[in-house]
Amino acid sequence: MRDKVQALAGGMMVSIIVLVIAGIYIGVGAGVVNQMLSQDSVIYAFFKLMLDLGLMVMRNLPPFFAIGLAFALSKAEKGWAAFTGFTMFMCFNVAIGSIAAFNGWTPDTISVDYLVNNMGYEKVAAQNFNSLWGENLGVFSYNMGIFSGIIVGCITAALHNRFYKYEMPSMLSFFSGPRAVVIFAYMAIMPISLIAYYAWPPIAGGLQSITTLITSSGIFGSFLFGVFDKGLLPFGLHHLIAFPIEYTRVGGVMEIDGVIYEGVRNIMNGQMSSPDATGYITHNFTSGRIPIQIGGLTGAAYAMYVTAKTENRKKVAAIMVPAVFTAAVIGITEPLEYTFLFVQPFLFFAVHVPLNGLAYVITEMFGVSIHGNQLLFMVPNLLQPEKVHAWALLWIVPLYFVVYFYTFKYFILKFDSKTPGREEEEGDIALYSKEDFKKKQQQNTAGLPVEIIKALGGAENIENVSNCATRLRVSLHDENLAASDDVWKKELSAIGVVRMPKGIQVIYGANVITIASGIKEALGVDS
């Protein structure tokens, strides 16, 4: 079950990619458009186009998730899976709208005025009922947000993986294989939509309760979010904590310039695009990452450098500097975190995790309101500095550097942790010669996928290969055939390894997508 949940978390990253691009377009486009007085210039038209392209994504998230998840979770014939995902999404919403019309609910009858004046609803009850409804690509249906896309994408992938090899009778052979999935999807959508029609209202009520709990618990809710977001990282489940709060109504709902935005990330994008917004929300579950990624992990890296043997410090610096740069600029923290997680779990769970939760509390208490948490994606803030409230970071980030440095230094020495440069064995962090470099370069470009397949127990032991932002995720027939952690780290350039029943996750960092593609190509499967 856990591997399926992890696959879902990884699959959602496919759709999140377009959200990152949309955020940049909104930031740059709105930053220029909101400052211009004249609307007749070519410059205004260009940046208005950027803004509109970004907002198009934010206002039509569900189909992106339906298509992205159907693509990511399918084992083969991924193009057909994505096409079926979009087809099923449209059918799903049309079916719900049709069922609603049969029960007397249309865009006119669900309006607050109609419910109050003609149906006897109290105003609050009418507003709550009205909030259940909306449009998806022009089709009247439930306002399920990205949940509709997630549901349709997962169901599509399940149908596709079950029937994409299905053979029709000879007379209908043209409709065999993935074409059959489209037919089965049409057949399945009616009972699925009927179930969703009656199930969604109580589910929406439950989500509203969760939203109320999170928003009403204030900084305590932020602390819990930070603890779980980081504590679940080794298990590959951290996306399932952050994702609903960042991109669904679980994280809150706000109307900006007549448009309803759900989730803290989407709300902040809406505020970034609005010329009337004076700042970003502070209860945003993202600002807390800034002290960790820029200050805390830099302090931890410096502590590992200082506690390394004197003769090894240059070698340690060569490892740590790129890792610190990656964490601060791009936001990929796993190379540093897995360095001390596997060497000394106490540093991760007893020090890093609670300090991560505390970072969210501190930034919220001091009103930090900034868009983005990696330096690379904070550039749009420079175009609308009046919306940013981040002076407190000038002392919070250095404070976290100091706290992490002295805390990590103390515990590394106390437990004699074998962080990089402190190992007894020679050669673990040896510098590469020119010949070693050439050999490693050849391995990374051509030989690494083949070696990884061998380390996984051979092609016949591999059931499925996928990846998220930093991890190679592999389902195995027999997990005991996979190579040891030492082989992965020392011979196959892995940052870390997470093992599970019938599967393994290998952390490679941002280049994992090219590694995964190479493995799929070597296996002869669709990428």
Side-chain angles (χ1 to χ4, degrees), residues 44-348:
Y44 178 90
F46 174 78
F47 285 100
K48 182 63 165 62
L49 173 60
M50 287 189 67
L51 175 59
D52 290 341
L53 288 173
L55 291 176
M56 176 275 298
V57 174
M58 307 311 300
R59 294 168 181 173
N60 296 283
L61 290 178
F64 284 103
F65 279 88
I67 297 168
L69 276 173
F71 173 87
L73 299 180
S74 58
K75 296 179 180 179
E77 298 286 357
K78 288 179 175 289
W80 274 102
F83 170 74
T84 308
F86 179 73
T87 302
M88 206 169 178
F89 176 79
M90 294 303 296
C91 291
F92 177 78
N93 285 285
V94 168
I96 287 181
S98 181
I99 297 170
F102 177 79
N103 287 278
W105 301 119
T106 67
D108 293 328
T109 60
I110 58 93
S111 68
V112 174
D113 289 341
Y114 185 91
L115 292 170
V116 172
N117 298 327
N118 298 84
M119 304 292 292
Y121 277 66
E122 296 291 335
K123 187 171 183 178
V124 174
Q127 290 171 337
N128 289 337
F129 185 75
N130 175 267
S131 69
L132 291 174
W133 305 92
E135 285 191 354
N136 287 296
L137 299 180
V139 178
F140 175 72
S141 182
Y142 276 143
N143 177 24
M144 299 175 67
I146 63 169
F147 287 108
S148 60
I150 293 173
I151 291 169
V152 169
C154 290
I155 293 174
T156 300
L159 283 172
H160 182 86
N161 291 335
R162 174 67 178 83
F163 294 111
Y164 76 93
K165 293 182 179 179
Y166 187 85
E167 294 186 9
M168 288 287 199
S170 299
M171 290 181 60
L172 301 173
S173 59
F174 176 79
F175 298 102
S176 296
R179 295 182 179 93
V181 181
V182 181
I183 298 173
F184 296 150
Y186 261 87
M187 297 169 60
I189 204 65
M190 288 184 281
I192 291 170
S193 301
L194 188 63
I195 293 171
Y197 178 81
Y198 290 104
W200 178 246
I203 292 174
L207 291 174
Q208 184 62 44
S209 299
I210 295 174
T211 301
T212 302
L213 174 64
I214 292 174
T215 54
S216 63
S217 58
I219 59 174
F220 179 69
S222 298
F223 176 78
L224 289 180
F225 173 85
V227 167
F228 282 110
D229 181 48
K230 193 59 66 179
L232 291 174
L233 175 68
F235 309 103
L237 300 176
H238 52 298
H239 296 310
L240 295 184
I241 295 295
F243 183 83
I245 290 176
E246 292 178 348
Y247 297 107
T248 78
R249 63 174 57 199
V250 173
V253 179
M254 182 178 292
E255 181 176 344
I256 303 171
D257 297 337
V259 178
I260 300 295
Y261 292 89
E262 299 179 353
V264 292
R265 285 285 185 93
N266 296 335
I267 290 172
M268 294 176 78
N269 280 332
Q271 292 173 322
M272 182 165 58
S273 68
S274 174
D276 298 323
T278 58
Y280 302 109
I281 52 175
T282 56
H283 194 51
N284 57 42
F285 304 95
T286 58
S287 296
R289 293 186 176 127
I290 299 174
I292 297 293
Q293 292 171 181
I294 300 178
L297 290 177
T298 304
Y302 187 52
M304 287 186 273
Y305 168 81
V306 169
T307 55
K309 296 177 181 178
T310 304
E311 64 272 19
N312 289 334
R313 287 183 178 175
K314 287 186 178 180
K315 303 173 186 178
V316 174
I319 297 172
M320 293 299 171
V321 170
V324 167
F325 180 84
T326 302
V329 176
I330 305 176
I332 295 177
T333 60
E334 287 182 324
L336 277 171
E337 290 168 329
Y338 275 92
T339 298
F340 54 82
L341 170 63
F342 287 98
V343 171
Q344 181 52 264
F346 176 87
L347 288 172
F348 187 89

Side-chain angles (χ1 to χ4, degrees), residues 428-449:
D428 284 340
I429 53 172
L431 296 176
Y432 289 112
S433 65
K434 185 175 181 180
E435 293 303 316
D436 290 332
F437 175 77
K438 289 181 178 179
K439 182 178 178 181
K440 183 174 179 63
Q441 192 175 45
Q442 291 172 353
Q443 181 195 51
N444 284 338
T445 56
L448 186 56

